[in-house]
Amino acid sequence: MVKKVYLVENLDCANCAAKVEAALGALPEVQEAVLTYATMQLRITAEDPDALLPKLQEVAQKVEPGVEFYPRDGAHSHGGEQEHHHDCCGHDHEHHHDHDHHHDHDHEHDHEDEHHHDHDHDHGHEHGGEEAEDLKPLLVGAALFAVGLVLEHFGLIWLTLGVCLAAYVLLGKEVVVTAVKNLARGRMLDENFLMALASIGAFFTGSFTEAVGVMLFYRVGEYFEDRAVARSRSQIMEAVDLRPEVVQLVDGEAVREIPAGEAKIGDVVLVRPGDRIPLDGIVVSGSSRIDTAPITGEPVPVSVAEGDSVVSGCVNTTGQLTVRVEKSLSESMVTRILDSVENAAASKPKIDRFITRFARVYTPIVVGAAVLTAIIPSLITGDWGKWVYTALTFLVMSCPCALVLSVPLAFFAGIGAGSKRGILFKGGQSMEAMSKIKAVVMDKTGTITKGDFTVQKIVGGDELLEICANCEQQSTHPIAESIVAAAKARNMELRRPEELEELAGRGIRAKLDGKEVLCGNERLLTEKGVSFPKSREYGTKVLVAVDGAYQGYLLIADTIKTGAENAVRALRDSGIETVMLTGDAEESAKAVAGAVGIREVHAGLLPQQKLERLQSIRETKGAAMFVGDGINDAPVLAGADVGAAMGSGADAAIEAADVVFMTSDVAAVPQALRISRQTARIAWQNVVFALAVKLAVMILGLCGYASMWLAVIADSGVALLCVLNSIRILYKK
């Protein structure tokens, strides 16, 4: 099966998106169809999605005429300017497309730097003009509505009716026309039909101004709702879409501009001050400071020089760099981030799936309640006018758009908020699961520690370091490399030993300046009969003896990441228990755990033993998240309730994880948990708020106190408030 993502156009309603998704998912050729209104993207899993595209288009058109799908790779071309008339949810939007550039961005790029690279890709979407056109009927309709209120006040009924009819035609024509079209297609419980029925019914009950007012506020609510959704979508996607369109290729002595997608591994590209690093690579020449905030969220620039790795999306702030491309555009960091966010938005959490199922039964139930309210009390009391009016208020609030839109938007906003901080959630499911985590289980090396061995202590003076470095300079062992690096940092001139013998598992025997030198562990010195003092310290000791006499030792240890202790404390303060699982020796594991505040440690574990231990932790403490970075962590990452990988870790670990921390910082763990909890809380707030308001208005209606004014607030007003509530996580610090 193949997964393919397509762009969606001319879809203006989350509830309509759910209907299209259901219709596509019902096709026998489709294994899975996910239409995400928040990103306006369709993900199809099938044998050959591209071959299936015409059929997908046909099915979607039957459900929502005007909806169109295009490949995300930029094959979207109308061949000039076209108009799309879409009648979803009462909107008849004319989308003018003038695609001079065939890119798959749905937002404006206007990049202008000192090198005069002016990319102005508005794709012909003249949103400013479109907004103005949408506002015209609303403003005129509002003016006529105000006139109608004045005329009604003075008792001029026929004039009121005339003005209100004119206003209604202006405001509600599209809704009524769409309702008729949908009714002809057998879609009776459509929002347009229900809204048209309710407002026209208000005319027949003599509530002229109320009928117009309901339609006006409905249209105004949808106008602001559409703008809020579009703005949040644009804000999130612009934050993560850092893909370059062109690169400056160094070709001999010349520099020429080529499309970023054409750059190959091994190419050398020029990155001037102020430019964004286009592709992942290694600095060939130059030195500079780069702003990594767009990728990691870290505000402090990082110094880079020849030989250092750089990732795409970061901004070169000072010096000029030439960078050798190590990954193509499709494999570079900026593409990984964008794909992660887009795929994450398509992975729906349980609450979203529940709301989708709930929406299918909610509207029929409310409509049924409206019918019963109109008939039964009227037969008993004989007051048909009152109870028909009450039933009409029920119809106004029968559409579940507030729920169907706001819940997935909340998770999409949470995913966007995480991506801006270097936290990549791989789906709403991952975020939802993380919100329920009770215990965080962490690996040691590469997770809590940097994985960089350094000389922490020298007992015997710098001369001892020089001796040891002379003996270890031919070794590729990480400990040997750390000793040599420490010597070079002190500008020591190293010499080759006259003789050199590597003793597996013990160390090195060498002859230096005619003297026999032993550099190794306690076992080596014991075998050679050299006596030495014993002590217990965190790290690896390299003992040194010259001509059989003990001289001292070097202490080599991994460095604990800055902020690891604060991160563990933050987890503990939020009620999360922390545990360390590691394959390292118990002594070093306990030393690191004690330094950062982790109280439970399990050391010397094989990958399978880590997984078994995780299962027991889950049984005793509840839902568990594992944080690791190595290939050996892949099984336990996949087996945890939530697997989290450090961005600097192995590809296998990143692939198996549900969340990736691009900063490779332990501080990202409590941050991710906080974002996921806030997101889940906001989603449930929307559900409870929307249902509570609608239920309250229904009860008031049954008691004779509700009006259509209140009903439209319970529908469009609540939807707008839920949308605004969903996106507020983007603005949290």
Side-chain angles (χ1 to χ4, degrees):
M1 289 291 175
V2 177
K3 289 184 180 180
K4 190 71 181 283
V5 177
Y6 300 94
L7 303 180
V8 182
E9 284 197 352
N10 305 329
L11 186 62
D12 299 310
C13 167
N15 199 31
C16 304
K19 295 172 184 175
V20 174
E21 180 185 271
L24 298 177
L27 293 173
E29 303 94 331
V30 176
Q31 185 181 78
E32 183 185 38
V34 181
L35 204 167
T36 309
Y37 182 68
T39 59
M40 294 298 278
Q41 291 184 339
L42 170 68
R43 188 174 71 182
I44 294 292
T45 304
E47 291 282 351
D48 189 353
D50 285 339
L52 199 59
L53 187 58
K55 187 173 183 178
L56 298 175
Q57 190 76 71
E58 183 183 350
V59 171
Q61 290 277 354
K62 289 180 180 177
V63 180
E64 288 295 326
V67 174
E68 298 184 45
F69 306 138
Y70 300 99
R72 192 179 63 173
D73 58 10
H76 175 180
S77 175
H78 301 294
E81 187 176 297
Q82 289 188 4
E83 296 183 359
H84 303 289
H85 300 273
H86 182 47
D87 54 347
C88 173
C89 295
H91 302 289
D92 189 9
H93 291 183
E94 295 184 3
H95 297 278
H96 300 273
H97 304 273
D98 188 6
H99 297 273
D100 294 327
H101 302 271
H102 307 297
H103 302 289
D104 58 341
H105 309 296
D106 63 350
H107 51 267
E108 295 188 7
H109 292 286
D110 191 5
H111 302 175
E112 186 173 343
D113 58 34
E114 60 184 275
H115 314 296
H116 310 291
H117 302 163
D118 188 2
H119 309 277
D120 186 6
H121 302 158
D122 63 3
H123 298 253
H125 293 272
E126 299 175 3
H127 295 293
E130 187 180 295
E131 288 186 23
E133 288 299 317
D134 286 348
L135 272 176
K136 284 180 183 177
L138 296 183
L139 294 174
V140 176
L144 290 173
F145 170 66
V147 173
L149 287 175
V150 173
L151 293 172
E152 186 181 54
H153 178 73
F154 288 104
L156 304 172
I157 301 302
W158 290 108
L159 283 175
T160 303
L161 176 60
V163 171
C164 287
L165 281 173
Y168 188 83
V169 170
L170 190 64
L171 294 168
K173 178 187 69 173
E174 296 168 2
V175 176
V176 175
V177 170
T178 303
V180 173
K181 289 180 180 178
N182 289 340
L183 194 62
R185 294 195 293 266
R187 288 176 51 194
M188 192 171 178
L189 299 182
D190 174 77
E191 183 181 21
N192 300 285
F193 174 76
L194 297 169
M195 196 69 201
L197 182 63
S199 54
I200 292 171
F203 268 106
F204 282 99
T205 61
S207 304
F208 308 140
T209 55
E210 197 159 357
V212 175
V214 165
M215 188 60 72
L216 172 63
F217 284 106
Y218 169 71
R219 292 292 303 275
V220 169
E222 286 220 325
Y223 175 84
F224 285 109
E225 181 186 316
D226 291 345
R227 296 300 174 270
V229 172
R231 185 161 295 181
S232 62
R233 180 189 298 130
S234 167
Q235 186 175 6
I236 295 168
M237 297 312 291
E238 284 181 11
V240 299
D241 192 358
L242 306 173
R243 293 172 301 177
E245 296 185 347
V246 296
V247 298
Q248 306 302 314
L249 180 70
V250 178
D251 188 4
E253 297 297 318
V255 177
R256 57 188 177 92
E257 189 174 273
I258 64 170
E262 294 181 7
K264 302 184 295 292
I265 296 172
D267 285 347
V268 176
V269 297
L270 180 67
V271 185
R272 302 182 179 100
D275 285 354
R276 194 180 297 278
I277 295 170
L279 302 165
D280 297 4
I282 295 178
V283 177
V284 176
S285 66
S287 62
S288 183
R289 292 176 66 81
I290 60 171
D291 178 9
T292 63
I295 301 299
T296 67
E298 288 293 321
V300 181
V302 176
S303 297
V304 295
E306 184 178 340
D308 290 335
S309 296
V310 291
V311 296
S312 51
C314 300
V315 178
N316 181 27
T317 62
T318 53
Q320 183 167 285
L321 301 173
T322 55
V323 176
R324 185 176 65 251
V325 177
E326 294 292 309
K327 292 181 180 178
S328 63
L329 180 61
S330 61
E331 298 296 325
S332 282
M333 184 65 69
V334 290
T335 303
R336 285 172 57 189
I337 291 174
L338 183 63
D339 288 347
S340 178
V341 173
E342 290 176 339
N343 291 331
S347 176
K348 298 184 178 183
K350 290 180 180 178
I351 184 175
D352 193 1
R353 295 196 295 272
F354 163 74
I355 290 298
T356 302
R357 292 194 300 271
F358 175 79
R360 292 171 188 167
V361 299
Y362 167 81
T363 299
I365 289 174
V366 176
V367 172
V371 173
L372 294 174
T373 301
I375 297 173
I376 296 175
S378 298
L379 291 174
I380 296 172
T381 64
D383 191 353
W384 284 88
K386 173 186 175 181
W387 293 108
V388 168
Y389 179 86
T390 302
L392 293 175
T393 65
F394 282 21
L395 294 180
V396 172
M397 332 180 260
S398 58
C399 183
C401 265
L403 298 175
V404 177
L405 173 60
S406 65
V407 170
L409 185 60
F411 281 92
F412 183 49
I415 291 165
S419 68
K420 291 197 294 185
R421 294 165 174 81
I423 302 167
L424 298 186
F425 296 97
K426 290 189 178 180
Q429 295 176 14
S430 305
M431 181 174 281
E432 189 177 46
M434 187 175 280
S435 69
K436 302 173 183 177
I437 290 298
K438 301 298 181 184
V440 172
V441 183
M442 289 183 272
D443 183 36
K444 181 178 80 70
T445 306
T447 302
I448 297 174
T449 65
K450 294 180 180 179
D452 299 327
F453 289 94
T454 57
V455 177
Q456 304 284 351
K457 186 178 179 182
I458 303 173
V459 178
D462 284 354
E463 185 183 351
L464 192 77
L465 173 63
E466 187 177 353
I467 293 172
C468 209
N470 287 328
C471 299
E472 299 279 9
Q473 60 182 313
Q474 302 301 315
S475 176
T476 58
H477 193 281
I479 289 178
E481 289 177 348
S482 69
I483 293 171
V484 174
K488 288 181 177 179
R490 291 169 169 78
N491 296 319
M492 294 179 178
E493 294 186 9
L494 302 184
R495 315 184 305 278
R496 289 183 177 274
E498 292 102 58
E499 296 179 11
L500 184 68
E501 181 185 4
E502 192 162 344
L503 306 170
R506 289 165 291 172
I508 288 174
R509 185 192 67 80
K511 182 168 280 188
L512 192 66
D513 297 332
K515 299 177 180 178
E516 185 183 62
V517 179
L518 299 176
C519 294
N521 54 25
E522 294 183 357
R523 181 183 169 190
L524 175 61
L525 266 65
T526 302
E527 285 180 358
K528 300 297 183 181
V530 180
S531 60
F532 56 91
K534 295 187 179 182
S535 62
R536 296 177 65 88
E537 294 179 83
Y538 163 60
T540 300
K541 284 184 179 179
V542 178
L543 308 177
V544 181
V546 179
D547 286 341
Y550 173 72
Q551 301 296 313
Y553 66 89
L554 306 179
L555 185 66
I556 317 297
D558 197 355
T559 307
I560 296 173
K561 289 181 178 178
T562 306
E565 185 179 358
N566 292 336
V568 171
R569 187 184 302 111
L571 290 171
R572 194 164 54 245
D573 292 345
S574 63
I576 304 288
E577 294 198 45
T578 54
V579 183
M580 180 187 288
L581 298 184
T582 179
D584 291 356
E586 186 172 356
E587 185 178 336
S588 64
K590 285 185 174 179
V592 172
V596 299
I598 296 176
R599 294 164 184 161
E600 185 176 342
V601 181
H602 303 277
L605 301 176
L606 297 172
Q608 187 58 36
Q609 292 173 317
K610 282 186 179 181
L611 185 57
E612 292 170 359
R613 185 65 66 176
L614 180 75
Q615 301 297 346
S616 66
I617 292 169
R618 180 191 286 153
E619 290 172 5
T620 57
K621 302 182 187 298
M625 176 171 79
F626 182 82
V627 187
D629 74 314
I631 295 175
N632 62 329
D633 292 327
V636 69
L637 283 167
D641 294 287
V642 176
M646 296 296 175
S648 59
D651 288 343
I654 293 172
E655 188 68 27
D658 302 300
V659 187
V660 180
F661 302 130
M662 304 308 300
T663 60
S664 297
D665 191 346
V666 189
V669 178
Q671 202 171 37
L673 286 165
R674 185 170 64 252
I675 290 172
S676 61
R677 287 179 171 182
Q678 288 173 344
T679 300
R681 188 161 56 248
I682 286 171
W684 278 109
Q685 284 172 357
N686 289 340
V687 172
V688 173
F689 176 67
L691 292 179
V693 171
K694 288 177 182 281
L695 182 62
V697 174
M698 286 182 186
I699 293 171
L700 287 172
L702 292 172
C703 297
Y705 295 110
S707 67
M708 282 200 188
W709 302 97
L710 199 57
V712 79
I713 291 173
D715 181 46
S716 296
V718 167
L720 178 59
L721 289 174
C722 286
V723 167
L724 295 175
N725 187 46
S726 295
I727 63 176
R728 67 185 172 89
I729 194 170
L730 290 169
Y731 304 97
K732 286 184 173 287
K733 300 296 184 183

